[in-house]
């Protein structure tokens, strides 16, 4: 059920982003943690789109949401310094629709406004479930400081491509910590991206499913297991 929100009508969608994504740049704003409310943003924007007299073209809608997703993936290096890599990465992931699990906790965190507060050293990201999220390459700098990340699930991620997997494989902390990786229904992932994962020397389990761009699965498996003999690879590919 949509919640009615009384806000003055704003014609410029970039003003929405300023208020919800960069609220500290709005006049009179007093900073508070977890100030972004993506759900509230969508509740305002979507009715505005529906109420326009002229229906926007499909290409125009795609451009707008593509631009918005790109904004959500913009890396805030000052935030990483201020809040720490795990907190900043949590904000990025949840903003993009993913879930995180912290070391020592079983519950997956998905609500941005429910992000835990407390000592920064208490909440270390151990798992990422990016199912149906909009994470993309330009946001992957958030992963650099994660020292406890052991499992990642990339499922139905339209922006995940070979360059993203290559970026993961080159991240020094992930080369040490990552143990489980699932890549499911990511149409832009090919043999090249998967083969690049050979640098993840501690990877124990790799699951690949519904990846139509992979053409030489036998050669791919051979190269991966040559680099990591203990790696268990499960395939569900055509």
């Amino acid at each position: 059920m949509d919640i009615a929100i009384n806000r003055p009508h704003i014609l410029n969608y970039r003003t929405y982003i300023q208020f919800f994504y960069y609220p500290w740049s709005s006049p009179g704003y007093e900073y508070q943690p977890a100030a972004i409310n993506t759900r509230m943003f969508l509740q305002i924007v979507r009715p505005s789109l529906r109420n326009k007299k002229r229906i926007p073209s499909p290409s125009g809608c795609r451009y707008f949401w593509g631009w918005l997703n790109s904004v959500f993936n913009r890396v805030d290096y000052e935030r990483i310094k201020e809040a720490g890599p795990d907190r900043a990465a949590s904000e990025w992931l949840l903003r993009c629709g993913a879930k995180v699990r912290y070391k020592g906790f079983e519950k997956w965190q998905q609500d941005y406004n429910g992000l835990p507060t407390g000592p920064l050293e208490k909440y270390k990201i151990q798992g990422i479930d990016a199912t149906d999220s909009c994470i993309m390459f330009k946001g992957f700098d958030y992963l650099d400081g994660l020292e406890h990340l052991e499992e990642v699930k990339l499922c139905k991620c339209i922006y995940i491509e070979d360059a993203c997997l290559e970026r993961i494989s080159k991240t020094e902390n992930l080369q040490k910590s990552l143990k489980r990786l699932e890549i499911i229904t990511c149409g832009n992932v090919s043999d090249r991206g998967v083969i690049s994962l050979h640098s993840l020397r501690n990877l124990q389990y790799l699951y690949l499913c519904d990846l139509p761009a992979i053409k030489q699965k036998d050669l791919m498996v051979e190269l991966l297991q040559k680099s990591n003999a203990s790696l268990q690879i499960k395939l569900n590919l055509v």
Side-chain angles (χ1 to χ4, degrees):
M1 180 184 298
D2 289 341
I3 302 174
I5 302 174
N6 295 321
R7 292 283 184 190
H9 180 63
I10 304 174
L11 294 177
N12 188 342
Y13 288 118
R14 292 183 182 270
T15 306
Y16 283 120
I17 297 300
Q18 180 185 12
F19 184 80
F20 289 96
Y21 185 66
Y22 299 114
W24 50 86
S25 64
S26 302
Y29 175 81
E30 182 178 352
Y31 176 75
Q32 295 178 352
I36 304 169
N37 190 328
T38 306
R39 181 176 296 178
M40 183 182 295
F41 168 76
L42 295 177
Q43 287 168 350
I44 294 176
V45 171
R46 284 174 176 165
S48 299
L49 292 174
R50 288 197 298 264
N51 293 335
K52 283 184 175 291
K53 292 182 180 180
R54 185 174 64 180
I55 299 175
S57 66
S59 60
C61 289
R62 285 195 298 270
Y63 173 82
F64 170 71
W65 291 112
W67 167 80
L68 179 60
N69 291 335
S70 180
V71 169
F72 283 169
N73 279 274
R74 187 176 298 162
V75 179
D76 186 344
Y77 297 99
E78 289 301 319
R79 182 61 177 161
I80 296 175
K81 293 179 183 178
E82 173 190 338
D86 289 87
R87 174 68 188 207
S90 297
E91 293 173 354
W92 163 59
L93 290 161
L94 270 62
R95 187 164 63 237
C96 292
K99 297 184 289 187
V100 299
R101 185 177 56 79
Y102 297 110
K103 187 175 182 179
F105 295 83
E106 295 184 2
K107 179 183 177 181
W108 287 86
Q109 179 69 40
Q110 188 173 20
D111 180 10
Y112 186 99
N113 292 318
L115 278 170
T117 58
L120 296 179
E121 63 274 8
K122 182 178 180 180
Y123 298 100
K124 301 296 184 181
I125 297 178
Q126 190 174 39
I128 294 174
D129 182 350
T131 300
D132 288 319
S133 72
C134 68
I135 63 171
M136 59 180 67
F137 179 82
K138 69 181 296 182
F140 273 43
D141 282 4
Y142 279 112
L143 300 176
D144 288 341
L146 303 184
E147 299 179 350
H148 303 273
L149 182 59
E150 295 184 0
E151 59 175 308
V152 174
K153 182 177 182 179
L154 304 172
C155 179
K156 300 179 182 178
C157 301
I158 62 174
Y159 297 110
I160 292 298
E161 54 190 345
D162 289 340
C164 297
L165 301 186
E166 292 168 353
R167 179 69 171 81
I168 289 175
S169 69
K170 293 177 182 178
T171 302
E172 186 175 350
N173 280 329
L174 299 187
Q175 290 176 356
K176 300 175 184 177
S177 67
L178 197 60
K179 297 180 180 179
R180 295 178 59 90
L181 178 60
E182 298 182 18
I183 308 172
I184 305 166
T185 317
C186 296
N188 295 320
V189 170
S190 72
D191 309 69
R192 190 190 82 186
V194 176
I195 290 173
S196 73
L197 299 175
H198 69 86
S199 299
L200 301 175
R201 54 183 179 270
N202 290 322
L203 193 65
Q204 299 174 0
Y205 177 79
L206 176 64
Y207 178 56
L208 305 174
C209 175
D210 188 23
L211 303 174
I214 291 181
K215 304 300 182 184
Q216 302 182 59
K217 58 183 180 181
D218 293 336
L219 176 60
M220 177 188 67
V221 170
E222 180 182 349
L223 292 173
L224 287 173
Q225 292 191 325
K226 185 177 181 180
S227 300
N228 184 353
S230 62
L231 174 62
Q232 178 187 357
I233 302 176
K234 184 177 179 180
L235 303 180
N236 187 3
L237 304 172
V238 177

